[in-house]
mmCIF file with all atom_site columns, all heavy atoms in Angstrom:
data_model
loop_
_atom_site.group_PDB
_atom_site.id
_atom_site.type_symbol
_atom_site.label_atom_id
_atom_site.label_alt_id
_atom_site.label_comp_id
_atom_site.label_asym_id
_atom_site.label_entity_id
_atom_site.label_seq_id
_atom_site.pdbx_PDB_ins_code
_atom_site.Cartn_x
_atom_site.Cartn_y
_atom_site.Cartn_z
_atom_site.occupancy
_atom_site.B_iso_or_equiv
_atom_site.pdbx_formal_charge
_atom_site.auth_seq_id
_atom_site.auth_comp_id
_atom_site.auth_asym_id
_atom_site.auth_atom_id
_atom_site.pdbx_PDB_model_num
ATOM 1  N N   . ASN C 1 74 ? 0.014  68.687 -63.579 1.00 76.00 ? 124 ASN C N   1
ATOM 2  C CA  . ASN C 1 74 ? 0.283  69.019 -64.890 1.00 76.00 ? 124 ASN C CA  1
ATOM 3  C C   . ASN C 1 74 ? -0.577 68.045 -65.810 1.00 76.00 ? 124 ASN C C   1
ATOM 4  O O   . ASN C 1 74 ? -0.310 66.907 -65.861 1.00 76.00 ? 124 ASN C O   1
ATOM 5  C CB  . ASN C 1 74 ? 1.702  68.825 -65.319 1.00 76.00 ? 124 ASN C CB  1
ATOM 6  C CG  . ASN C 1 74 ? 2.145  69.168 -66.794 1.00 76.00 ? 124 ASN C CG  1
ATOM 7  O OD1 . ASN C 1 74 ? 1.208  69.153 -67.504 1.00 76.00 ? 124 ASN C OD1 1
ATOM 8  N ND2 . ASN C 1 74 ? 3.331  69.542 -66.971 1.00 76.00 ? 124 ASN C ND2 1
ATOM 9  N N   . ALA C 1 75 ? -1.679 68.552 -66.435 1.00 78.00 ? 125 ALA C N   1
ATOM 10 C CA  . ALA C 1 75 ? -2.515 67.803 -67.292 1.00 78.00 ? 125 ALA C CA  1
ATOM 11 C C   . ALA C 1 75 ? -1.818 67.114 -68.439 1.00 78.00 ? 125 ALA C C   1
ATOM 12 O O   . ALA C 1 75 ? -2.131 65.989 -68.703 1.00 78.00 ? 125 ALA C O   1
ATOM 13 C CB  . ALA C 1 75 ? -3.752 68.699 -67.768 1.00 78.00 ? 125 ALA C CB  1
ATOM 14 N N   . ASP C 1 76 ? -0.839 67.802 -68.958 1.00 80.00 ? 126 ASP C N   1
ATOM 15 C CA  . ASP C 1 76 ? -0.127 67.225 -70.122 1.00 80.00 ? 126 ASP C CA  1
ATOM 16 C C   . ASP C 1 76 ? 0.563  65.994 -69.638 1.00 80.00 ? 126 ASP C C   1
ATOM 17 O O   . ASP C 1 76 ? 0.577  64.981 -70.480 1.00 80.00 ? 126 ASP C O   1
ATOM 18 C CB  . ASP C 1 76 ? 0.857  68.332 -70.654 1.00 80.00 ? 126 ASP C CB  1
ATOM 19 C CG  . ASP C 1 76 ? 1.481  67.766 -71.983 1.00 80.00 ? 126 ASP C CG  1
ATOM 20 O OD1 . ASP C 1 76 ? 0.852  67.441 -72.825 1.00 80.00 ? 126 ASP C OD1 1
ATOM 21 O OD2 . ASP C 1 76 ? 2.723  67.713 -72.072 1.00 80.00 ? 126 ASP C OD2 1
ATOM 22 N N   . SER C 1 77 ? 1.296  65.913 -68.562 1.00 79.00 ? 127 SER C N   1
ATOM 23 C CA  . SER C 1 77 ? 1.954  64.825 -67.956 1.00 79.00 ? 127 SER C CA  1
ATOM 24 C C   . SER C 1 77 ? 0.917  63.651 -67.791 1.00 79.00 ? 127 SER C C   1
ATOM 25 O O   . SER C 1 77 ? 1.284  62.443 -68.121 1.00 79.00 ? 127 SER C O   1
ATOM 26 C CB  . SER C 1 77 ? 2.651  65.110 -66.690 1.00 79.00 ? 127 SER C CB  1
ATOM 27 O OG  . SER C 1 77 ? 3.705  66.018 -66.921 1.00 79.00 ? 127 SER C OG  1
ATOM 28 N N   . ALA C 1 78 ? -0.264 63.935 -67.232 1.00 80.00 ? 128 ALA C N   1
ATOM 29 C CA  . ALA C 1 78 ? -1.238 62.889 -66.963 1.00 80.00 ? 128 ALA C CA  1
ATOM 30 C C   . ALA C 1 78 ? -1.643 62.321 -68.274 1.00 80.00 ? 128 ALA C C   1
ATOM 31 O O   . ALA C 1 78 ? -1.863 61.108 -68.439 1.00 80.00 ? 128 ALA C O   1
ATOM 32 C CB  . ALA C 1 78 ? -2.352 63.493 -66.194 1.00 80.00 ? 128 ALA C CB  1
ATOM 33 N N   . LEU C 1 79 ? -1.898 63.169 -69.338 1.00 84.00 ? 129 LEU C N   1
ATOM 34 C CA  . LEU C 1 79 ? -2.366 62.643 -70.566 1.00 84.00 ? 129 LEU C CA  1
ATOM 35 C C   . LEU C 1 79 ? -1.153 61.707 -71.234 1.00 84.00 ? 129 LEU C C   1
ATOM 36 O O   . LEU C 1 79 ? -1.521 60.572 -71.713 1.00 84.00 ? 129 LEU C O   1
ATOM 37 C CB  . LEU C 1 79 ? -2.600 63.779 -71.569 1.00 84.00 ? 129 LEU C CB  1
ATOM 38 C CG  . LEU C 1 79 ? -3.899 64.486 -71.272 1.00 84.00 ? 129 LEU C CG  1
ATOM 39 C CD1 . LEU C 1 79 ? -3.980 65.762 -72.157 1.00 84.00 ? 129 LEU C CD1 1
ATOM 40 C CD2 . LEU C 1 79 ? -5.090 63.629 -71.511 1.00 84.00 ? 129 LEU C CD2 1
ATOM 41 N N   . LYS C 1 80 ? -0.006 62.150 -71.075 1.00 85.00 ? 130 LYS C N   1
ATOM 42 C CA  . LYS C 1 80 ? 1.106  61.327 -71.572 1.00 85.00 ? 130 LYS C CA  1
ATOM 43 C C   . LYS C 1 80 ? 1.206  60.062 -70.837 1.00 85.00 ? 130 LYS C C   1
ATOM 44 O O   . LYS C 1 80 ? 1.409  58.961 -71.525 1.00 85.00 ? 130 LYS C O   1
ATOM 45 C CB  . LYS C 1 80 ? 2.517  62.037 -71.686 1.00 85.00 ? 130 LYS C CB  1
ATOM 46 C CG  . LYS C 1 80 ? 2.464  63.152 -72.723 1.00 85.00 ? 130 LYS C CG  1
ATOM 47 C CD  . LYS C 1 80 ? 3.808  63.936 -72.785 1.00 85.00 ? 130 LYS C CD  1
ATOM 48 C CE  . LYS C 1 80 ? 3.815  64.931 -73.854 1.00 85.00 ? 130 LYS C CE  1
ATOM 49 N NZ  . LYS C 1 80 ? 5.057  65.732 -73.869 1.00 85.00 ? 130 LYS C NZ  1
ATOM 50 N N   . LEU C 1 81 ? 1.115  59.986 -69.589 1.00 85.00 ? 131 LEU C N   1
ATOM 51 C CA  . LEU C 1 81 ? 1.177  58.811 -68.783 1.00 85.00 ? 131 LEU C CA  1
ATOM 52 C C   . LEU C 1 81 ? 0.008  57.957 -69.208 1.00 85.00 ? 131 LEU C C   1
ATOM 53 O O   . LEU C 1 81 ? 0.181  56.680 -69.317 1.00 85.00 ? 131 LEU C O   1
ATOM 54 C CB  . LEU C 1 81 ? 1.077  59.166 -67.275 1.00 85.00 ? 131 LEU C CB  1
ATOM 55 C CG  . LEU C 1 81 ? 1.075  57.987 -66.351 1.00 85.00 ? 131 LEU C CG  1
ATOM 56 C CD1 . LEU C 1 81 ? 2.318  57.183 -66.481 1.00 85.00 ? 131 LEU C CD1 1
ATOM 57 C CD2 . LEU C 1 81 ? 0.871  58.438 -64.922 1.00 85.00 ? 131 LEU C CD2 1
ATOM 58 N N   . GLY C 1 82 ? -1.129 58.511 -69.401 1.00 88.00 ? 132 GLY C N   1
ATOM 59 C CA  . GLY C 1 82 ? -2.299 57.671 -69.706 1.00 88.00 ? 132 GLY C CA  1
ATOM 60 C C   . GLY C 1 82 ? -2.035 56.965 -71.211 1.00 88.00 ? 132 GLY C C   1
ATOM 61 O O   . GLY C 1 82 ? -2.451 55.786 -71.437 1.00 88.00 ? 132 GLY C O   1
ATOM 62 N N   . GLN C 1 83 ? -1.377 57.677 -72.055 1.00 90.00 ? 133 GLN C N   1
ATOM 63 C CA  . GLN C 1 83 ? -1.172 57.092 -73.328 1.00 90.00 ? 133 GLN C CA  1
ATOM 64 C C   . GLN C 1 83 ? -0.072 55.992 -73.294 1.00 90.00 ? 133 GLN C C   1
ATOM 65 O O   . GLN C 1 83 ? -0.109 55.017 -73.894 1.00 90.00 ? 133 GLN C O   1
ATOM 66 C CB  . GLN C 1 83 ? -0.693 58.165 -74.267 1.00 90.00 ? 133 GLN C CB  1
ATOM 67 C CG  . GLN C 1 83 ? -1.792 59.096 -74.733 1.00 90.00 ? 133 GLN C CG  1
ATOM 68 C CD  . GLN C 1 83 ? -1.363 60.170 -75.589 1.00 90.00 ? 133 GLN C CD  1
ATOM 69 O OE1 . GLN C 1 83 ? -0.675 59.989 -76.603 1.00 90.00 ? 133 GLN C OE1 1
ATOM 70 N NE2 . GLN C 1 83 ? -1.658 61.459 -75.268 1.00 90.00 ? 133 GLN C NE2 1
ATOM 71 N N   . ALA C 1 84 ? 0.899  56.197 -72.374 1.00 90.00 ? 134 ALA C N   1
ATOM 72 C CA  . ALA C 1 84 ? 1.895  55.152 -72.100 1.00 90.00 ? 134 ALA C CA  1
ATOM 73 C C   . ALA C 1 84 ? 1.197  53.897 -71.570 1.00 90.00 ? 134 ALA C C   1
ATOM 74 O O   . ALA C 1 84 ? 1.580  52.846 -71.941 1.00 90.00 ? 134 ALA C O   1
ATOM 75 C CB  . ALA C 1 84 ? 3.055  55.709 -71.225 1.00 90.00 ? 134 ALA C CB  1
#
Side-chain angles (χ1 to χ4, degrees):
N124 181 337
D126 187 54
S127 294
L129 288 170
K130 286 181 178 176
L131 178 60
Q133 290 177 52

